[in-house]
Amino acid sequence: MGLFDEQVAAVERFLAEERSAGNVREFRAGSRPAWPSEQSLVLEDDTAIELGNPRIASLSSLVWSEGPVEDGRISLVGPDVSEMDERGVPFAQVVIAGGKFTDVYESYRDVREAIYDTVLEGFMVRTMPSRQSIWCRISREAVSGGFSLEDLGDALIWNLKTVEPVTGAEVLFVTSSVADVERLAPAASGARRVIEALMKMYEEKNFDCETCEYRDVCDEVMDLKKIRERLADQKAGAGP
Amino acid sequence: MILAVCGKGGVGKTTISAVAAAALRRRAGVRVLVVDGDPAGGLGMALSVEAKKTLNDVRVEVIDEVKAGERSKRGLAQAMDYRLAEAIIENGNLAFLSIGRPDDVGCYCRVNSFLKMAIESLAGGFDMTVIDAEAGIEQVNRDVMATVDYILLVSDTSAKGVRVAETIRDVAKRMVGGDGAGLVINRVRDEGEVESIRRSTSLDVIGWIPEDDSIRRYDENMTSFFDLPECPARISIENALKATGLL
Ligand SMILES: Nc1ncnc2c1ncn2[C@@H]1O[C@H](COP(=O)(O)OP(=O)(O)OP(=O)(O)O)[C@@H](O)[C@H]1O
Ligand SMILES: [Mg+2]
């Protein structure tokens, strides 16, 4: 069982439900020219669309799967940028990376940095890892230049696949409603708990399960348990 | 360009910063970051913008992030940028950030070194940054000044004011990114005073500002400097700012 199997399954259930209701549009990464990559500051005055303002609804999640992923698929539930008729739009971004993640700790950092490295002209992103929030501004210029969430998905997938163990990646965006964004919240916070447990193991090297606040997560996720046992063995082997 | 306005207490740093902000506000297309580096927060008042959240609040929140287990530099930088975005108040082409007052002693990371990180992370996106620095030499430390290109030293006509300006220049000399520093003399009633200061100081005197009642009136009525008319003081401040390259 993989680290994020439960969350990946939850995201897939969400997609399946939306798909059967006819609410999902799919794009393929690489089917249009890449949007220029550039770190951008978008001031309020230049902002046409704001995605995931914390006062509306926002969610960002990164999970991975060691099983097959739909490589290159960009799914969109809700309006795309050109169809948005309000300035403030609820937003969820879920990234599913596929591959064999042997060094989970390093891999997680690398994959996360690939997401941070995704910068696009006229598009400003702010993310808050601990709150799983993402807050983006799209400039008027980018909107009139035809910027689409397809461009964002495309850039994310491209960058993710530069990370060594990543062999495939897919992205889901939700812009339909606050309620739809919130449906993904349990999966996002579940993934966050797994990561926090992992970080704690690696950084604090404390394997006293009786006192650990993440014990329930470890008990659920077999892979975490295995990692913990391996690390604890290493520590014991290292001697006094 | 990053310009810091420094000098002894009460010499007119905030007035000059506010006039600079207002002048840049009128330049559409130029992106400007205005930092109130004084914990007392006078610049916000002069511009009638009220910061609901300060840089110090951001600092505390980022420390909480560390406590919550986030250890990677990139993760913390992301958290800082997010919180900074919440703290910034925008007005047209202008973004305003206030440093705030630290109230806890747990100085995990002092506000001034945090200010440096924030400026480094933010200033790149802006064409011009103006910092209304705290009085004296507190902020003229390696941290903040390493990011600054030009120090605008402000003094009144008193010998003490000029001496503080000289001290700041000396302390900052080794740290300022560019080699820019210049002195403006404020609240001048008699032009002769400017000449005698010019002769007595090694600082480059780039301008002087007359004593001007409209400045005092604006201050007393708490009217925003965005609406300050073209009074003699405003004109001289803008001229001095042209000499620094800011305008
Ligand atoms: N040219 C001027 N003419 C008349 N009054 C002035 C002039 N310049 C500044 N003042 C007045 O002097 C006082 C102090 O100015 P200001 O607040 O700008 O100084 P400061 O250096 O920022 O002070 P502090 O160190 O307390 O932050 C204010 O009441 C202001 O209105
Ligand atoms: Mg002041």
Side-chain angles (χ1 to χ4, degrees):
Chain A
M1 193 189 155
L3 275 185
F4 300 107
D5 285 1
E6 196 186 319
Q7 288 77 31
V8 172
V11 173
E12 265 155 18
R13 270 198 308 279
F14 174 91
L15 262 173
E17 279 168 36
E18 291 300 311
R19 201 175 290 120
S20 62
N23 295 337
V24 182
R25 264 183 290 175
E26 281 183 14
F27 308 98
R28 282 275 136 203
S31 35
R32 51 195 242 154
W35 190 267
S37 166
E38 191 186 283
Q39 186 93 46
S40 294
L41 174 86
V42 181
L43 293 180
E44 212 166 278
D45 243 24
D46 305 324
T47 302
I49 301 284
E50 196 165 41
L51 303 173
N53 184 305
R55 283 185 295 271
I56 302 176
S58 174
L59 179 145
S60 163
S61 188
L62 161 64
V63 291
W64 68 52
S65 165
E66 309 229 326
V69 298
E70 269 292 332
D71 183 29
R73 182 170 68 183
I74 302 160
S75 308
L76 171 60
V77 176
D80 199 351
V81 174
S82 64
E83 303 148 353
M84 292 173 180
D85 42 33
E86 240 163 325
R87 186 185 142 108
V89 177
F91 187 57
Q93 170 182 297
V94 180
V95 171
I96 307 177
K100 271 248 152 291
F101 302 94
T102 35
D103 190 334
V104 281
Y105 181 73
E106 290 251 308
S107 295
Y108 187 79
R109 286 197 165 182
D110 292 349
V111 172
R112 199 173 72 159
E113 290 194 3
I115 296 177
Y116 295 158
D117 286 337
T118 306
V119 293
L120 295 170
E121 197 174 273
F123 181 76
M124 181 172 83
V125 203
R126 296 278 176 265
T127 55
M128 188 67 184
S130 67
R131 282 198 292 182
Q132 303 112 50
S133 317
I134 180 165
W135 181 4
C136 323
R137 280 176 175 178
I138 310 172
S139 73
R140 289 178 215 288
E141 219 178 309
V143 171
S144 59
F147 183 79
S148 151
L149 288 171
E150 182 182 350
D151 296 307
L152 175 59
D154 189 67
L156 284 167
I157 290 171
W158 178 269
N159 282 348
L160 283 161
K161 286 171 75 174
T162 61
V163 178
E164 172 88 71
V166 177
T167 51
E170 71 167 302
V171 180
L172 161 67
F173 298 117
V174 179
T175 59
S176 44
S177 68
V178 173
D180 285 344
V181 168
E182 280 169 358
R183 273 165 64 203
L184 290 163
S189 58
R192 179 71 201 169
R193 290 267 292 162
V194 170
I195 283 309
E196 281 170 356
L198 189 71
M199 296 280 172
K200 186 173 165 130
M201 268 190 244
Y202 272 84
E203 282 163 9
E204 294 181 13
K205 300 244 185 291
N206 173 3
F207 306 107
D208 179 6
C209 298
E210 295 308 310
T211 60
C212 179
E213 74 230 78
Y214 295 107
R215 185 179 174 177
D216 58 320
V217 192
C218 280
D219 286 347
E220 281 277 304
V221 186
M222 280 305 291
D223 268 22
L224 273 180
K225 214 168 192 161
K226 277 189 246 155
I227 294 167
R228 189 189 63 212
E229 281 160 11
R230 203 185 65 229
L231 288 173
D233 280 352
Q234 276 173 13
K235 191 183 176 189
Chain B
M1 177 190 189
I2 304 179
L3 175 138
V5 184
C6 303
K8 190 175 86 71
V11 292
K13 300 179 293 295
T14 299
T15 304
I16 290 170
S17 303
V19 170
L24 290 165
R25 174 70 184 83
R26 289 185 281 270
R27 304 215 161 164
V30 181
R31 293 147 168 247
V32 187
L33 174 64
V34 178
V35 179
D36 187 349
D38 184 349
L43 186 58
M45 245 180 288
L47 296 172
S48 300
V49 291
E50 197 191 340
K52 283 179 220 68
K53 186 169 176 168
T54 66
L55 189 67
N56 184 60
D57 298 328
V58 174
R59 182 187 69 105
V60 170
E61 287 167 345
V62 171
I63 293 170
D64 287 345
E65 203 74 8
V66 177
K67 288 182 186 155
E70 180 63 66
R71 297 291 142 78
S72 90
K73 267 202 168 137
R74 284 299 292 282
L76 288 173
Q78 293 285 322
M80 182 176 80
D81 283 350
Y82 189 98
R83 300 297 199 174
L84 281 174
E86 290 180 323
I88 278 174
I89 298 172
E90 292 180 41
N91 180 328
N93 61 335
L94 216 102
F96 179 86
L97 178 67
S98 171
I99 188 170
R101 190 189 297 280
D103 42 21
D104 60 339
V105 276
C107 47
Y108 208 98
C109 155
R110 308 218 10 240
V111 195
N112 279 331
S113 65
F114 199 76
L115 177 59
K116 178 203 174 198
M117 283 195 283
I119 291 171
E120 276 173 350
S121 146
L122 283 171
F126 292 92
D127 305 305
M128 296 292 173
T129 298
V130 177
I131 306 167
D132 178 11
E134 200 177 338
I137 58 164
E138 183 58 28
Q139 261 163 15
V140 190
N141 52 48
R142 179 158 271 107
D143 281 339
V144 179
M145 286 308 152
T147 64
V148 170
D149 306 302
Y150 194 100
I151 298 197
L152 183 62
L153 298 156
V154 185
S155 175
D156 51 19
T157 53
S158 74
K160 177 101 187 288
V162 177
R163 216 159 44 236
V164 171
E166 286 166 348
T167 308
I168 293 173
R169 191 265 323 260
D170 291 342
V171 175
K173 211 179 211 161
R174 288 154 281 137
M175 308 163 196
V176 176
D179 52 1
L183 176 69
V184 283
I185 302 159
N186 189 19
R187 309 197 74 159
V188 174
R189 291 166 190 280
D190 165 11
E191 225 182 307
E193 295 172 313
V194 178
E195 281 322 303
S196 66
I197 292 172
R198 241 189 245 282
R199 277 193 300 274
S200 70
T201 182
S202 58
L203 293 170
D204 182 16
V205 180
I206 61 163
W208 62 272
I209 303 151
E211 174 74 25
D212 186 334
D213 269 349
S214 12
I215 299 286
R216 241 206 343 266
R217 265 201 311 280
Y218 259 68
D219 227 26
E220 279 160 10
N221 303 337
M222 307 233 290
T223 319
S224 168
F225 270 67
F226 284 131
D227 307 320
L228 182 73
E230 280 198 296
C231 58
R234 178 181 142 185
I235 292 166
S236 337
I237 293 171
E238 289 178 354
N239 283 335
L241 291 170
K242 278 175 195 148
T244 70
L246 187 83
L247 292 186

